[in-house]
Amino acid sequence: MDPVTATRSATVQGRELAIYDDLLPSTDIARYHALLHQAPFTRTEFARPDTATHRHWVSEMALAALQRLPLWRATAGAVRALRPRESYRPYRAYTNHAAYGDMLYVHTDALPGARELTALWFVCEQWDPDWGGELLCFDDSGDALCVLSPRPGRLVLFDVVIRHAARPPSPHCSVPRYTPAFRLEPAP
Protein backbone atom coordinates (compact mmCIF):
# COMPACT_ATOMS: atom_id res chain seq x y z
CA MET A 1 0.00 0.00 0.00
CA ASP A 2 1.34 3.45 -0.93
CA PRO A 3 2.05 5.83 1.95
CA VAL A 4 -0.68 8.39 2.54
CA THR A 5 0.52 11.96 2.09
CA ALA A 6 -1.41 15.11 2.83
CA THR A 7 -1.99 17.45 -0.10
CA ARG A 8 -1.42 20.25 2.36
CA SER A 9 -1.70 20.94 6.07
CA ALA A 10 -2.26 23.87 8.35
CA THR A 11 -2.63 24.77 11.96
CA VAL A 12 -5.36 26.90 13.47
CA GLN A 13 -4.10 28.28 16.77
CA GLY A 14 -1.74 25.32 17.14
CA ARG A 15 -4.40 22.73 16.22
CA GLU A 16 -3.83 20.29 13.35
CA LEU A 17 -5.66 20.24 10.04
CA ALA A 18 -4.66 18.10 7.05
CA ILE A 19 -6.18 17.88 3.56
CA TYR A 20 -5.98 14.70 1.49
CA ASP A 21 -6.99 14.51 -2.16
CA ASP A 22 -7.36 11.52 -4.45
CA LEU A 23 -7.22 8.83 -1.76
CA LEU A 24 -9.98 6.94 -3.57
CA PRO A 25 -10.72 6.43 -7.25
CA SER A 26 -13.43 8.65 -8.68
CA THR A 27 -15.55 5.54 -9.32
CA ASP A 28 -15.74 4.87 -5.55
CA ILE A 29 -16.71 8.49 -4.90
CA ALA A 30 -19.38 8.35 -7.62
CA ARG A 31 -20.77 5.11 -6.20
CA TYR A 32 -20.95 6.54 -2.69
CA HIS A 33 -22.53 9.74 -4.05
CA ALA A 34 -25.26 7.68 -5.74
CA LEU A 35 -25.90 5.80 -2.48
CA LEU A 36 -26.28 9.08 -0.60
CA HIS A 37 -29.06 10.11 -2.99
CA GLN A 38 -31.04 7.18 -1.54
CA ALA A 39 -30.05 7.67 2.13
CA PRO A 40 -32.67 8.61 4.73
CA PHE A 41 -31.89 12.17 5.86
CA THR A 42 -33.66 13.82 8.80
CA ARG A 43 -33.54 17.48 9.80
CA THR A 44 -32.28 16.83 13.33
CA GLU A 45 -28.72 18.14 13.60
CA PHE A 46 -27.77 21.58 14.92
CA ALA A 47 -24.44 23.33 15.43
CA ARG A 48 -24.76 24.72 18.97
CA PRO A 49 -27.44 24.86 21.66
CA ASP A 50 -28.20 28.52 20.83
CA THR A 51 -28.90 27.58 17.18
CA ALA A 52 -31.06 24.52 17.93
CA THR A 53 -34.06 26.05 16.13
CA HIS A 54 -32.04 25.95 12.87
CA ARG A 55 -31.60 22.28 12.16
CA HIS A 56 -29.89 20.75 9.17
CA TRP A 57 -30.13 17.45 7.34
CA VAL A 58 -28.16 14.44 8.53
CA SER A 59 -28.13 10.69 7.93
CA GLU A 60 -26.63 8.52 10.69
CA MET A 61 -24.54 5.47 9.84
CA ALA A 62 -23.95 2.35 11.91
CA LEU A 63 -20.29 2.01 12.89
CA ALA A 64 -20.24 -1.62 11.71
CA ALA A 65 -21.31 -0.43 8.23
CA LEU A 66 -18.72 2.37 8.25
CA GLN A 67 -15.83 0.00 8.81
CA ARG A 68 -16.70 -1.94 5.62
CA LEU A 69 -16.51 1.15 3.37
CA PRO A 70 -13.54 2.23 1.23
CA LEU A 71 -14.07 5.69 2.79
CA TRP A 72 -13.18 4.25 6.19
CA ARG A 73 -10.08 2.42 5.00
CA ALA A 74 -8.80 5.61 3.36
CA THR A 75 -9.66 7.61 6.49
CA ALA A 76 -7.83 5.17 8.75
CA GLY A 77 -4.72 5.42 6.55
CA ALA A 78 -4.81 9.22 6.66
CA VAL A 79 -5.22 9.19 10.45
CA ARG A 80 -2.19 6.89 10.80
CA ALA A 81 -0.20 9.29 8.58
CA LEU A 82 -1.28 12.35 10.57
CA ARG A 83 -0.77 10.86 14.03
CA PRO A 84 1.49 7.82 13.59
CA ARG A 85 2.11 7.29 17.30
CA GLU A 86 -1.56 7.25 18.25
CA SER A 87 -4.47 4.95 17.53
CA TYR A 88 -8.03 6.16 16.88
CA ARG A 89 -11.44 4.57 16.53
CA PRO A 90 -14.72 5.97 15.25
CA TYR A 91 -17.49 6.63 17.75
CA ARG A 92 -19.95 8.37 15.43
CA ALA A 93 -20.51 8.34 11.66
CA TYR A 94 -23.02 10.42 9.74
CA THR A 95 -23.45 12.41 6.54
CA ASN A 96 -24.46 16.05 6.35
CA HIS A 97 -26.66 17.25 3.49
CA ALA A 98 -26.54 20.97 2.70
CA ALA A 99 -28.42 22.85 -0.01
CA TYR A 100 -29.07 26.45 -0.93
CA GLY A 101 -30.98 28.23 1.84
CA ASP A 102 -29.73 26.08 4.73
CA MET A 103 -28.43 27.87 7.81
CA LEU A 104 -25.09 26.46 8.98
CA TYR A 105 -23.30 27.94 11.99
CA VAL A 106 -19.77 28.17 13.40
CA HIS A 107 -19.15 25.45 15.98
CA THR A 108 -16.66 22.96 17.40
CA ASP A 109 -17.15 19.21 17.42
CA ALA A 110 -16.09 18.76 21.06
CA LEU A 111 -15.24 20.64 24.22
CA PRO A 112 -11.77 22.20 24.68
CA GLY A 113 -9.12 19.70 25.67
CA ALA A 114 -10.54 16.78 23.70
CA ARG A 115 -7.85 14.80 21.84
CA GLU A 116 -10.28 13.75 19.12
CA LEU A 117 -10.37 14.18 15.36
CA THR A 118 -13.08 14.85 12.83
CA ALA A 119 -12.74 13.26 9.40
CA LEU A 120 -14.84 15.14 6.85
CA TRP A 121 -15.22 13.92 3.27
CA PHE A 122 -16.54 15.88 0.29
CA VAL A 123 -18.52 13.34 -1.72
CA CYS A 124 -19.52 14.78 -5.07
CA GLU A 125 -18.85 13.86 -8.66
CA GLN A 126 -18.02 17.46 -9.55
CA TRP A 127 -18.04 20.83 -7.83
CA ASP A 128 -17.90 24.26 -9.41
CA PRO A 129 -16.25 27.05 -7.36
CA ASP A 130 -19.28 29.25 -8.11
CA TRP A 131 -21.43 26.81 -6.13
CA GLY A 132 -19.91 27.81 -2.75
CA GLY A 133 -20.18 25.17 -0.03
CA GLU A 134 -16.69 25.78 1.39
CA LEU A 135 -15.54 24.68 4.83
CA LEU A 136 -14.22 27.64 6.83
CA CYS A 137 -11.99 27.30 9.90
CA PHE A 138 -11.82 30.14 12.40
CA ASP A 139 -9.55 31.25 15.20
CA ASP A 140 -11.01 31.98 18.63
CA SER A 141 -11.62 35.63 17.69
CA GLY A 142 -13.83 34.58 14.76
CA ASP A 143 -11.35 35.35 11.98
CA ALA A 144 -11.47 32.82 9.11
CA LEU A 145 -7.95 31.43 8.76
CA CYS A 146 -8.55 28.54 6.38
CA VAL A 147 -11.01 28.01 3.51
CA LEU A 148 -11.39 24.57 1.93
CA SER A 149 -13.23 23.95 -1.32
CA PRO A 150 -15.52 20.93 -1.62
CA ARG A 151 -13.34 19.15 -4.15
CA PRO A 152 -14.65 15.68 -5.16
CA GLY A 153 -13.16 12.98 -2.93
CA ARG A 154 -11.37 15.41 -0.62
CA LEU A 155 -10.79 14.34 3.00
CA VAL A 156 -10.13 16.90 5.73
CA LEU A 157 -8.85 15.69 9.10
CA PHE A 158 -8.93 18.24 11.88
CA ASP A 159 -8.74 18.65 15.61
CA VAL A 160 -12.31 18.66 16.95
CA VAL A 161 -11.85 21.93 18.85
CA ILE A 162 -11.14 23.97 15.71
CA ARG A 163 -14.05 26.37 15.22
CA HIS A 164 -15.51 25.72 11.78
CA ALA A 165 -18.59 26.08 9.62
CA ALA A 166 -19.75 24.81 6.29
CA ARG A 167 -21.14 27.40 3.97
CA PRO A 168 -24.29 26.33 2.16
CA PRO A 169 -24.24 26.03 -1.59
CA SER A 170 -25.16 29.08 -3.68
CA PRO A 171 -28.44 29.49 -5.59
CA HIS A 172 -26.55 28.39 -8.72
CA CYS A 173 -25.95 24.92 -7.29
CA SER A 174 -28.64 22.35 -8.05
CA VAL A 175 -27.01 19.39 -6.27
CA PRO A 176 -26.71 18.71 -2.54
CA ARG A 177 -23.40 19.10 -0.75
CA TYR A 178 -22.78 15.73 0.93
CA THR A 179 -20.14 15.56 3.64
CA PRO A 180 -19.72 12.24 5.43
CA ALA A 181 -18.23 12.94 8.85
CA PHE A 182 -16.57 10.52 11.23
CA ARG A 183 -15.81 11.44 14.83
CA LEU A 184 -12.69 9.71 16.11
CA GLU A 185 -11.47 9.19 19.66
CA PRO A 186 -8.19 7.80 20.93
CA ALA A 187 -8.34 4.01 21.15
CA PRO A 188 -7.35 2.45 24.48
Side-chain angles (χ1 to χ4, degrees), residues 56-132:
H56 63 271
W57 296 99
V58 67
S59 182
E60 297 289 338
M61 179 188 302
L63 293 178
L66 165 67
Q67 295 177 343
R68 292 191 304 264
L69 293 176
L71 282 179
W72 171 248
R73 288 188 292 280
T75 301
V79 169
R80 282 190 301 274
L82 182 65
R83 293 190 177 167
R85 292 177 181 81
E86 300 175 56
S87 181
Y88 284 83
R89 66 179 179 203
Y91 67 89
R92 183 175 179 213
Y94 57 98
T95 297
N96 296 299
H97 171 297
Y100 171 67
D102 285 338
M103 294 293 299
L104 306 170
Y105 293 91
V106 176
H107 65 281
T108 63
D109 290 340
L111 297 174
R115 186 73 181 141
E116 299 174 4
L117 292 171
T118 294
L120 186 74
W121 283 89
F122 293 100
V123 175
C124 52
E125 294 181 79
Q126 65 175 13
W127 199 267
D128 188 299
D130 289 329
W131 292 352

Side-chain angles (χ1 to χ4, degrees), residues 112-179:
R115 186 73 181 141
E116 299 174 4
L117 292 171
T118 294
L120 186 74
W121 283 89
F122 293 100
V123 175
C124 52
E125 294 181 79
Q126 65 175 13
W127 199 267
D128 188 299
D130 289 329
W131 292 352
E134 299 85 1
L135 175 69
L136 284 80
C137 298
F138 300 87
D139 67 14
D140 291 340
S141 74
D143 192 16
L145 299 180
C146 185
V147 178
L148 302 167
S149 301
R151 182 177 170 181
R154 172 169 280 174
L155 168 64
V156 182
L157 287 178
F158 58 94
D159 187 307
V160 293
V161 297
I162 292 176
R163 296 180 71 220
H164 63 281
R167 294 302 180 217
S170 77
H172 306 287
C173 181
S174 61
V175 297
R177 176 189 177 272
Y178 293 127
T179 51

